[in-house]
Amino acid sequence: MALLFLLGCAFFPLCFAGLCWGLQNQTNLQMERQEAVLVASKLVSSVQAIMASTAGYIVSTSCKHIIDDQHWLSSAYTQFAVPYFIYDIYAMFLCHWHKHQVKGHGGEDGTPRALGSTWAVVRGYLHKEFLMVLHHAAMVLVCFPLSVVWRQGKGDFFLGCMLMAEVSTPFVCLGKILIQYKQQHTLLHKVNGALMLLSFLCCRVLLFPYLYWAYGRHAGLPLLSVPLAIPAHVNLGAALLLAPQLYWFFLICRGACRLFRPRGSPPPSPCQTQD
């Protein structure tokens, strides 16, 4: 367990640092530091998402009995991936930091002019990314201990399905990179937006009804009877995990309404409400 955790602690930061260096020094790219940090962070997130969803697919398709069957990847990848969430909090802060510097709040050498400015950046980051930081902290402090200790080897199928929620992440990352380069009106951005909407709906929102349905089929219960047949704390945990997904899905839908609205047309619905 410790070896996999330490491997994850080294893997994600080293990938980020290597990508930043390559994006800034590669002859055909030579990105500015701000651009390199953003693109590198999204590439690392996409790599993690591909690994997680692949591991999740292998685990979920290998477990024929959804309660008792086990697969070594379920615990191995969980231990390896936990450091990613810690790293990503820092990577998101770096992206926010460099945006702050570009807006002219830093000194001539790119450093903050005063300690108060540093705390202002930190407060701005936590205000903007509060839900994501809370989500990542919960993954490390709550979900990881529960998946390793509380499960006691049961339910690898469900854990595998949860890992497959990361299928939508590469589309989210590509969308942010395209926005950074002001490519919102390109065909690529529209196609990516549609794929992001579909994958997020299927793999993050509809995932929870599917898990309830899968348990109901296993236990011989109709879908609507499953919440009453399982412990209350399981329902509470599922609700807490689903709540931010619904909020983010609302934001994606609102963005999709803006993206596919004909130019020059008035805002026809509440999904175009301002931020």
Side-chain angles (χ1 to χ4, degrees), residues 161-225:
C161 291
M162 295 293 290
L163 288 173
M164 289 181 64
E166 293 290 337
V167 166
S168 63
T169 299
F171 302 112
V172 175
C173 293
L174 177 57
K176 291 185 177 181
I177 292 174
L178 291 173
I179 290 173
Q180 171 71 18
Y181 287 97
K182 303 186 186 304
Q183 301 297 308
Q184 294 94 320
H185 302 297
T186 62
L187 177 61
L188 175 60
H189 188 258
K190 292 181 178 181
V191 171
N192 181 74
L195 292 173
M196 177 175 63
L197 179 66
L198 180 62
S199 61
F200 202 98
L201 173 64
C202 295
C203 298
R204 287 184 179 265
V205 177
L206 298 181
L207 169 66
F208 292 90
Y210 170 74
L211 294 179
Y212 275 71
W213 173 82
Y215 181 81
R217 185 180 64 170
H218 165 78
L221 297 171
L223 174 62
L224 296 180
S225 299

Side-chain angles (χ1 to χ4, degrees), residues 81-141:
V82 166
Y84 163 78
F85 295 100
I86 302 172
Y87 142 81
D88 197 47
I89 292 175
Y90 176 69
M92 290 190 298
F93 175 72
L94 275 184
C95 293
H96 181 83
W97 175 277
H98 284 287
K99 287 181 182 179
H100 181 82
Q101 300 303 311
V102 168
K103 290 178 180 178
H105 299 288
E108 295 180 356
D109 60 351
T111 59
R113 290 174 179 161
L115 181 60
S117 177
T118 301
W119 284 114
V121 176
V122 173
R123 288 195 301 269
Y125 164 68
L126 292 176
H127 176 76
K128 181 181 179 181
E129 302 289 353
F130 175 76
L131 187 57
M132 188 64 74
V133 172
L134 181 64
H135 171 270
H136 282 22
M139 290 294 105
V140 175
L141 300 176

Side-chain angles (χ1 to χ4, degrees), residues 13-85:
L14 286 176
C15 281
F16 175 72
L19 285 169
C20 281
W21 182 87
L23 292 170
Q24 290 179 91
N25 294 280
Q26 212 281 334
T27 305
N28 296 329
L29 296 174
Q30 292 188 332
M31 293 183 179
E32 297 292 333
R33 174 66 177 172
Q34 179 205 5
E35 293 178 302
V37 166
L38 173 70
V39 174
S41 68
K42 300 312 173 190
L43 289 175
V44 174
S45 294
S46 297
V47 168
Q48 193 282 140
I50 292 170
M51 291 192 298
S53 54
T54 301
Y57 176 79
I58 294 172
V59 171
S60 60
T61 55
S62 299
C63 296
K64 305 306 179 184
H65 191 285
I66 66 172
I67 302 297
D68 294 330
D69 281 1
Q70 298 181 357
H71 195 285
W72 65 271
L73 261 179
S74 61
S75 58
Y77 188 78
T78 301
Q79 295 159 23
F80 171 76
V82 166
Y84 163 78
F85 295 100

